[in-house]
Structure formats: structure tokens, C-alpha cells
Amino acid sequence: MAETASALRTLAHNVRAARTRAGLSLDELGRRAQVSKGALVGLEKAQGNPNFATLVRLADTLGVSVSALLEGPSEGRVRVVTAEAVPPLWTGERGSEARLMLTTSGAAPAEVWRWRLEPGEEYPSHPHQAGVVETVSVTSGRMTLVVDGTEHPVEAGQTAAFDGDVPHAYRGSGTDTCHLVMTVHLPPGPAPTG
């Protein structure tokens, strides 16, 4: 329970700081991210439990990575992260899950995700901000990548890349669990104002 409260405080601080850097009011951030002002007020007070889709919309609107909203200060030059140490940000009804392992630093950061997709289970994603590029590398099993309504089969040993600014979805295919590594390449963030 203490870990959850600490994570909510970190999220609250990071959202407030990113909103301030972007020069957005609560009303304007809510309008752009399609999140109610009440939910944002609660979030910035470290209350509530925002879902994955809300975090993605906030990150996209603020021009930061999802992990930039979730992570505390950097712990050093090298970060080694195990999947078991990172809670899933999405879990499906059939046991699928997505874990945000880490985000690289720098002007154009990249998020590294580990996904497990059970056969027939799908995660639909809304379009991201312009300039976001995603790659999916299937390590075992098969998936169907749906980009702007077109299905693309991706099998073990294959990698697909696409612009993430259109509707897209990831679906487990075949009879076995699909494991994949996804990278989300973010465009450079807005220049600090001051």
C-alpha cells in the first residue's frame, strides 16, 4: 500500500510539473487530453487510480513519455529492470499484459515495453501525437498488428514499424501466447520556456 501511495505522489508531482512546463491550465490540459478537470485535480492531489489510456493521453498531450509521468529521479548511469519488478499497466481478461520497462533519456526518448498477448485478445490504442513511431518485435508466437484498419500478421523473428499517429491495435494470433518487445520512439519534447 505504501508503494502505491508513493507512486501516486510521484505521478501527481510529474503531471503538475509537466503541465506547468507546457503552460497549460487544468481546463486546457483536460480539454486537449479528453480527461475531466475533476480527474486531473484528483490526480494532481495524488488521489484516484488513472487507467492506462488516461496516462497515455496525458503523456501525449504533455509531450512526454508515459514513464516520465511514472518514474522518480534517475538512479544512475545504468538501469537494469526485470519484468517482475514492473507492474503491468494493462492486463486483459484472458491474461494478456503490457509492462513499460523503461524509457531512455535524451532529446528524443524511446519507451521499451514487454507485451504478452493471449490468442484472440486485443488491445486497441488511440492515435498518438504526430512523430511517434512504434516498433513491435515478436520473440515467440504470432500477432496481428492493425494499423489504420489494415491487418498485418507478425510472427516470431519479425519486427514491424509504423507511425503511431493513427488508430492501431495489437492482437494475439494463432494458438500460442505471443511475446513481443515494443519500442515507442517519441519526438523531441517541447523546448523549455523561461
Side-chain angles (χ1 to χ4, degrees):
M1 209 58 165
E3 287 180 7
T4 301
S6 175
L8 279 173
R9 284 192 301 274
T10 298
L11 176 62
H13 173 269
N14 292 344
V15 168
R16 188 171 32 259
R19 180 176 64 78
T20 301
R21 276 192 311 273
L24 297 175
S25 67
L26 284 167
D27 287 325
E28 185 61 15
L29 176 58
R31 187 186 66 75
R32 291 183 186 184
Q34 300 174 348
V35 176
S36 74
K37 181 179 178 182
L40 286 173
V41 168
L43 185 71
E44 288 194 4
K45 289 183 176 181
Q47 300 168 347
N49 185 18
N51 65 29
F52 177 52
T54 297
L55 292 176
V56 170
R57 285 194 309 271
L58 286 171
D60 280 349
T61 302
L62 293 167
V64 299
S65 66
V66 172
S67 64
L69 296 179
L70 298 172
E71 290 180 346
S74 178
E75 297 175 8
R77 293 183 91 154
V78 176
R79 289 182 288 163
V80 177
V81 182
T82 61
E84 296 76 27
V86 178
L89 288 178
W90 171 74
T91 53
E93 293 180 4
R94 298 181 187 176
S96 298
E97 64 179 27
R99 296 175 191 258
L100 176 56
M101 301 303 294
L102 59 84
T103 300
T104 61
S105 58
E111 297 175 346
V112 179
W113 293 79
R114 290 180 67 120
W115 285 71
R116 182 178 75 221
L117 291 171
E118 296 301 329
E121 191 154 43
E122 180 173 309
Y123 178 81
S125 180
H126 75 285
H128 300 296
Q129 62 180 311
V132 170
V133 175
E134 293 191 20
T135 65
V136 290
S137 298
V138 176
T139 58
S140 67
R142 296 172 45 203
M143 71 169 292
T144 300
L145 175 64
V146 183
V147 179
D148 207 14
T150 302
E151 295 188 358
H152 306 272
V154 186
E155 300 185 10
Q158 294 182 324
T159 299
F162 63 97
D163 293 333
D165 60 354
V166 295
H168 51 282
Y170 325 100
R171 181 184 326 124
S173 301
T175 56
D176 297 323
T177 301
C178 175
H179 293 271
L180 63 102
V181 175
M182 172 195 295
T183 57
V184 180
H185 303 272
L186 304 165
T193 59

